[in-house]
Amino acid sequence: MIDISKLAKDGSFLSFDIEGDGNSGQRPVELSFCQFNENGFVEEHYFLIDPERPINTFAISKHGLTDAMVQGRDTIRDVAERIRELVSDQMLVGHSSIDDVHLISTGIPDFLLLPKAILDTQRIARRLAKLRKETIPEALSRFAVFNGIDPHDAPASLARRGLHSASTDAWLTGQVFRAAMPLLPDDYTSKKQYPEMLSVKVSDARRREIEDKLLEQAASMKP
């Protein structure tokens, strides 16, 4: 049983968002990790990624990143170790985070094994709606407005501002998390054991599955 409220009250966490190239078997093109402490937003860790193939036109219309903007940038392999160091033993907060976790795991297969926790503000919103017997919007921008958080107030220091940029969405996720946690009961807990839920670490079975895949990948790369 995980006491989420106790875990969150130390005030230090990384909120994150990832944008993809929109193709089948998506690859990341933009990653943002926003550091928060008990006083609020501290700084952003930002990565613009070359997916090494054209970005789907629908994805371009959504997040605004073009081939010209990412071509020649670092690949996910180039930044993998920096990201591992950044998230290791940290509490991560995402919105509908299972999609982002799957996306980053295409380039960093052991990503799920690194953080202390991965919490999801979308699922927190659902829990709040149930606990308070209210209808609480779950889309990130609507939930932010519901809590009096204006996306236009995103810090000027963010690498790229605007909804559906990884920077603004990561910052919004952090602000929503800070707004939501005081509304939860002090003994708020979760029995869920997978990272797509409210979770701490991963189940033993999921860990073995990931480690087996890593071993398979390593074996396939041997000459």
Side-chain angles (χ1 to χ4, degrees):
M1 184 79 74
I2 305 303
D3 188 338
I4 299 298
S5 58
K6 182 178 179 181
L7 182 66
K9 283 178 180 176
D10 71 358
S12 178
F13 64 91
L14 282 171
S15 59
F16 73 107
D17 187 72
I18 302 170
E19 301 297 334
D21 67 4
N23 296 304
S24 177
Q26 280 208 82
R27 297 176 185 176
V29 294
E30 185 181 44
L31 302 89
S32 175
F33 297 86
C34 287
Q35 180 70 59
F36 284 79
N37 64 20
E38 64 274 13
N39 297 316
F41 173 74
V42 177
E43 63 178 332
E44 179 190 20
H45 304 272
Y46 179 80
F47 304 87
L48 198 57
I49 302 297
D50 184 349
E52 301 179 282
R53 63 183 181 182
I55 301 174
N56 180 283
T57 54
F58 174 77
I60 292 174
S61 68
K62 179 186 175 187
H63 53 55
L65 291 169
T66 65
D67 294 333
M69 295 168 68
V70 301
Q71 191 171 24
R73 297 279 185 165
D74 287 337
T75 67
I76 191 65
R77 297 183 301 278
D78 295 328
V79 301
E81 192 55 37
R82 289 160 58 194
I83 292 173
R84 287 188 181 100
E85 292 176 0
L86 179 64
V87 305
S88 289
D89 206 33
Q90 297 293 313
M91 184 167 79
L92 299 189
V93 178
H95 190 82
S96 190
S97 57
I98 184 57
D99 294 332
D100 286 339
V101 167
H102 281 162
L103 181 52
I104 196 170
S105 294
T106 63
I108 308 176
D110 59 340
F111 184 81
L112 291 178
L113 304 179
L114 304 174
K116 176 169 59 178
I118 301 176
L119 309 185
D120 191 310
T121 51
Q122 184 183 62
R123 293 184 179 274
I124 289 174
R126 292 177 182 173
R127 293 291 183 93
L128 280 173
K130 183 176 181 180
L131 289 169
R132 294 158 61 95
K133 297 181 172 59
E134 296 176 0
T135 301
I136 296 181
E138 292 181 16
L140 180 56
S141 57
R142 295 201 308 273
F143 192 33
V145 170
F146 181 87
N147 284 280
I149 302 165
D150 188 343
H152 295 96
D153 291 336
S157 62
L158 293 180
R160 205 167 69 92
R161 300 175 72 191
L163 285 175
H164 300 307
S165 71
S167 296
T168 295
D169 283 0
W171 176 81
L172 274 176
T173 296
Q175 294 292 82
V176 164
F177 181 67
R178 282 170 53 82
M181 290 312 299
L183 304 179
L184 293 168
D186 288 339
D187 61 349
Y188 179 57
T189 58
S190 171
K191 293 181 180 179
K192 303 297 184 182
Q193 294 298 307
Y194 287 92
E196 57 265 40
M197 308 297 183
L198 298 176
S199 68
V200 172
K201 289 299 186 182
V202 296
S203 70
D204 288 341
R206 180 63 171 140
R207 176 180 292 274
R208 286 193 295 270
E209 179 184 339
I210 295 168
E211 289 174 343
D212 286 346
K213 287 183 178 179
L214 291 172
L215 288 172
E216 290 175 7
Q217 288 181 3
S220 67
M221 295 173 65
K222 290 181 178 180

